[in-house]
Amino acid sequence: MATSTDPLDLLRQSIISSTFPTLLTSSSSAASSLGEASFISFPPVTPLTDSPTSIPKDTPTRYASKAGSKDEFYNIGQLWLAWNERESGVRDYLMNGQAGGVGYVAITDRRGVVEYLTGESEATGRILSKGQQAEAGQSTTAASATAEALPSALQSSEAGPSKPAAQAKRKYEVDAADREFCKKLRAEEVELRDRNSVLRSSGGGKVNNFESFLKTVMVDKIRALRGSFDKGASKAAAQAQQQAGPPMGAKKARSTHPIIIISSAPTSLLTMWNVKKFLEQGIFEPSDVARQNEAAQGNAKAEDVVAILRKRSGPHGYITSKYYVVDGVDALQKFGQDAWDRVICVVTTGQAWQFKPYKWQDPRMLFRNVKGVYFQWSNEPANPTVKDWNVTEMRIDRNKRHTDRQVVADLWRILDGAKRR
């Protein structure tokens, strides 16, 4: 590989050959970041005959910051930063460029610079030849040619003496040809006022009078149309009534089946997996066991609404009542806007987060309007929290081999009282 002292050639050759440059301070010691460094040092191409080449980090290169530009260039520090931070996010890249004291390559140029330095492209139109470089003199460095700027908040928080001062924006000058073209367009514009003025105004601005046409032609047509409409009005009204169904004033019968809300907490003794067998058969089955049994039958996901059929004896035989169980407000919304009017019971685990999406988020207010029930194991101590909430505690015996019909009977008796409230 031919030896070159051109900053751009040195950087590209070192990256392609994997003999990466190092950062040096003003005293030629190793620097940990671009902000501490004053020089970028390139290893010798031929170790036995050459010595390292150190170049100030703000040295301009032949890489133009704008296509076709001959007076604005990226410096060696900016190009090194674009390659070194090629995997960084935009915010980190911009902040590191400001902290490095050399600015940064424009975001739109970042990928192209990396591809050029790694040999994947030739950056056509952006690299000046060495002859053009000498002719241009490289009067402007890349720090002043950077198009992107950090947001104002980021600039204020990151400002410091290591950052180059931002160059004032050049005043925009309107092109004379553009100005004349815009004037011509303005002169040819047609001013639209309103629908009536556009339809009725003649070329001289006089408003057309349609009164005679209305009296001589349109009156007869309107009378004929009205007569035909009157003849078919009764028939059309009868057909429309048949298609429309019952009158709008008649209300559709709504379901009034009571709703029970249980907790969705994984520690809850009652879940959507075992609540049906518990309330219908009086058999308590641990939730994980019930879930495994359902999975064996191909039911991998619990229902969000479970229908409960309660059978009890009445004066004329057995009576079947229907209840619905949900474990959250998302499923409750399926019952319509008045769903909370049908809620008769909330089963809680004693955790207040359960009530955040509820109609009443305060537990004391909730259980003034809805019956509260708290299930726990029979060998556990009383929960003072739910007692303060005016919630009924019900205990399930671990030793009854998953059967506790008396608890379910007591629960239904409590819910009967809740419905009468």
Side-chain angles (χ1 to χ4, degrees), residues 88-96 150-151 154 157-158:
S88 300
V90 174
R91 179 181 175 85
D92 292 339
Y93 166 67
L94 297 179
M95 292 178 64
N96 292 337
L150 289 172
L154 183 59
S157 64
E158 297 293 333

Side-chain angles (χ1 to χ4, degrees), residues 171-202:
K171 183 179 180 181
Y172 175 74
E173 297 180 0
V174 180
D175 185 86
D178 290 343
R179 183 188 295 109
E180 295 301 320
F181 180 74
C182 292
K183 287 182 178 179
K184 183 178 179 181
L185 287 180
R186 179 65 180 172
E188 295 178 355
E189 284 182 356
V190 176
E191 183 178 357
L192 299 179
R193 288 158 291 178
D194 57 48
R195 180 176 179 275
N196 291 333
S197 62
V198 171
L199 292 177
R200 297 191 177 188
S201 295
S202 60

Side-chain angles (χ1 to χ4, degrees), residues 385-396:
T385 300
V386 298
K387 192 171 183 179
D388 185 52
W389 290 349
N390 191 28
V391 169
T392 300
E393 297 185 48
M394 306 197 73
R395 297 178 177 272
I396 299 176

